[in-house]
Amino acid sequence: MSILYRSDAPRAAAWAHYFRKFAPDLDFRVWPDAGDLDDVEYLIAWQAPAEFIAKLPRLKVFFSSGAGVDHVDFSALPEHVPIVRMVEPGIIDGMVEYVSLGVLALHRDFFDYQAAKAAGVWNPLEVPPASSRTIGVMGMGALGRAVLERLASYGFDLRGWNRSLRVMDGVESFAGPDQLQPFLAGCDVLICLLPLTPATKGILNRELFSLLPVGAALINVGRGPHLVDADLLEALDAGQLSRAILDVTEPEPLSAEHPFWAHPRVFLTPHVASMTQPESAAPILLENVRRHQRGEPLKDVIDRSRGY
Ligand code: OXD
């Protein structure tokens, strides 16, 4: 029985080490040293190119090496092969850190002080309490809920928006297209943690920005195509939005001439908000393999029709 890892090369050794130690019965292989592909039953990969999947006649489960599955070609995977997304403590902790850092930096005016320092200006601003800021999270899945929980510890006023209602203590919940407007109307900082699907592509657009309070800030840690870049630039330049923190862009890497690079109110990181950590992900993935072997339902299987 074999399991093939065909993803991020620098972290392959840590995955292999874990499986060889804790699951010696599974033949853990690392691409391109894959041996006979006829034996491969489990695949851990970022993408599922059709020509590669066609070479795996015994594939039983596809494990995405990342939390998102929008880059996976579902049609390449036979219907009987479940697609499992990565939900593991390391990826969640990374996202919680990144978003907390962004929210706190906005809340405590760090970007303004950076600009003031560059201009040699000593200008103390008001220090409002966290409770006076409303932070809204779009997408209340595993990552969104973990972010909200951590932000609650700072005392922010919190709200969340989801496709279907998700109730959480201390968070005002909104659901579906009808409640998007009232949700947005209160957000001083809007965080996008939505999955990318045809329904959410381009959701961060001019109309949405116009429904936020004037001067709101955006943090996009979803996917680049959630955002209509030209609409963001227009909203920033008109003062409708004050700042944007972007960890994702379309395309990635962002093209050299893109206006985001030079924009003084766009803070950009190269898709590093969170990463799958082999040390915490491998035990979770192995437990899912064991469930499959015992004939039990797998955890974190995506719904192909929803796209996440
Ligand atoms: C992921 C990502 O989906 O890194 O895990 O974006």
Side-chain angles (χ1 to χ4, degrees), residues 247-265:
D247 183 53
V248 284
T249 59
E250 174 63 17
E252 289 179 4
L254 189 63
S255 56
E257 65 285 355
H258 198 289
F260 285 166
W261 288 109
H263 201 288
R265 278 176 294 120

Side-chain angles (χ1 to χ4, degrees), residues 5 11 14-15 18-19 44 63-66 85-91 275-288:
Y5 177 91
R11 283 176 286 167
W15 279 94
Y18 183 90
F19 272 81
I44 307 171
F63 292 100
S64 165
S65 58
R85 64 188 288 254
M86 186 61 75
V87 181
E88 62 95 9
I91 217 166
M275 277 177 205
T276 300
Q277 304 294 342
E279 294 72 15
S280 45
I284 289 193
L285 195 141
L286 176 58
E287 174 50 22
N288 236 352

Side-chain angles (χ1 to χ4, degrees), residues 178-198:
D178 293 349
Q179 291 182 14
L180 186 56
Q181 182 166 354
F183 162 76
L184 293 168
C187 295
D188 297 314
V189 179
L190 178 69
I191 297 155
C192 176
L193 263 166
L194 290 167
L196 181 65
T197 68

Side-chain angles (χ1 to χ4, degrees), residues 46 65-71 86 91 222-223 248 271 274-276:
W46 176 248
S65 58
V69 288
D70 50 284
H71 48 275
M86 186 61 75
I91 217 166
R223 289 286 187 248
V248 284
H271 202 143
S274 81
M275 277 177 205
T276 300

Side-chain angles (χ1 to χ4, degrees), residues 94-229:
M95 188 57 80
V96 168
E97 283 174 11
Y98 184 97
V99 175
S100 302
L101 183 64
V103 169
L104 289 170
L106 290 164
H107 168 54
R108 297 305 308 265
D109 303 308
F110 268 32
F111 300 108
D112 298 280
Y113 290 122
Q114 192 180 31
K117 176 175 176 265
V121 176
W122 182 272
N123 179 28
L125 301 168
E126 287 296 310
V127 181
S131 58
S132 69
R133 310 256 198 215
T134 302
I135 317 295
V137 174
M138 298 178 87
M140 297 173 76
L143 295 173
R145 289 199 308 276
V147 161
L148 283 161
E149 264 166 34
R150 181 68 58 85
L151 292 178
S153 71
Y154 297 110
F156 290 110
D157 180 51
L158 298 173
R159 48 178 59 196
W161 181 82
N162 205 58
R163 182 172 176 259
S164 53
L165 190 67
R166 291 279 184 123
V167 176
M168 251 187 98
D169 272 358
V171 176
E172 193 178 354
S173 288
F174 298 79
D178 293 349
Q179 291 182 14
L180 186 56
Q181 182 166 354
F183 162 76
L184 293 168
C187 295
D188 297 314
V189 179
L190 178 69
I191 297 155
C192 176
L193 263 166
L194 290 167
L196 181 65
T197 68
T200 63
K201 186 165 189 265
I203 192 168
L204 302 174
N205 59 28
R206 177 187 293 136
E207 191 197 337
L208 179 141
F209 298 145
S210 73
L211 299 171
L212 289 165
V214 172
L218 171 72
I219 301 181
N220 188 16
V221 276
R223 289 286 187 248
H226 282 129
L227 176 66
V228 180
D229 297 1

